[in-house]
Amino acid sequence: MSDPHRIEAVVFDVGETLIDESRIWLRWADRLGVTPLTFLGAIGACAATDREVSAAFELVRPGFDVEVADAAWAVEDPDGLRSGFDDDDLYPDVRPALAALSGRGLRLVIAGNQPPRALAALHAMDLPVDEIANSAELGVEKPSPAFFAAVTGLAGVPAEAIAYVGDRTDNDVLPAADAGMRPILIRRGPWGHLHATRPEAARATIVDSLLELPGIL
């Protein structure tokens, strides 16, 4: 039987936890025909007012249909990254942190709210993890309890033996804690910095780098 106080698996969110999304948003700014500052400012405004990032598109281009635009972009530039990411977008602490945690025998899982193409991109990185899944594959998104139930199944250990690492209190910390997991909030990206100041962040362990994880788990 698992020790209820021992962490046996670590599950990682994707955007702004493992992946620096800066290049994605800069490409979108160019696509939208606005300056990087304008679009990044709109994203920050959405983070500060608890709106999803999709609202940033509406702020700078009212009536803009992201799905239609993304599909057209794929036709124009089928081999480009467009709204995707690759190995160059990994935060520098990702590989050494994963290697250290894997070396301790922890089961490692990547699972976040991501579109279908993100799954192939993550697999192509050949990261030292045991499972990779996303919301598109699981058929359910955070913060739904069903997402965290699915993640528990992927981890293969009880929820109380899982640490879930993410950059948001609403999508990561609170639902992970409610599921019985140990939430860890990483303070990077606009949501991470903002949400670390909120009262509900007290339910999580806050870190500034994934390299802190081996010392606290």
Side-chain angles (χ1 to χ4, degrees):
M1 182 178 294
S2 297
D3 180 344
H5 301 293
R6 180 184 172 211
I7 295 299
E8 300 175 31
V10 187
V11 181
F12 296 88
D13 176 40
V14 180
E16 291 307 321
T17 298
L18 303 179
I19 299 296
D20 178 351
E21 296 179 319
S22 298
R23 292 200 306 162
I24 298 172
W25 302 129
L26 292 177
R27 288 194 296 270
W28 267 118
D30 184 63
R31 187 78 179 172
L32 289 161
V34 299
T35 65
L37 178 60
T38 298
F39 193 49
L40 294 177
I43 291 172
C46 290
T49 54
D50 294 326
R51 285 182 287 177
E52 288 302 318
V53 72
S54 57
F57 292 87
E58 181 68 21
L59 278 173
V60 301
R61 284 286 180 266
F64 186 81
D65 190 316
V66 179
E67 290 188 6
V68 170
D70 200 29
W73 198 358
V75 172
E76 294 172 26
D77 185 18
D79 298 321
L81 281 176
R82 306 186 308 278
S83 58
F85 53 80
D86 63 13
D87 197 88
D88 289 339
D89 297 301
L90 277 177
Y91 273 107
D93 58 359
V94 173
R95 288 191 183 277
L98 293 179
L101 294 169
S102 178
R104 291 178 48 187
L106 293 170
R107 186 165 172 80
L108 305 181
V109 177
I110 297 173
N113 287 351
Q114 293 288 322
R117 66 185 299 221
L119 198 60
L122 289 166
H123 278 294
M125 294 177 189
D126 195 26
L127 297 169
V129 299
D130 299 287
E131 297 283 350
I132 300 175
N134 64 8
S135 54
E137 178 188 30
L138 296 174
V140 63
E141 294 187 345
K142 297 183 295 181
S144 169
F147 178 93
F148 290 88
V151 163
T152 301
L154 287 173
V157 299
E160 61 267 22
I162 298 172
Y164 190 92
V165 187
D167 64 308
R168 295 176 58 155
T169 54
D170 55 351
N171 271 5
D172 302 314
V173 170
L174 298 181
D178 290 343
M181 300 176 185
R182 177 179 174 183
I184 297 176
L185 178 66
I186 185 157
R187 185 164 34 203
R188 61 185 174 201
W191 277 267
H193 283 280
L194 284 164
H195 287 199
T197 68
R198 296 185 172 183
E200 57 266 32
R203 296 185 70 181
T205 300
I206 299 175
V207 299
D208 293 300
S209 168
L210 298 180
L211 293 173
E212 296 175 47
L213 297 180
I216 63 174
L217 297 178

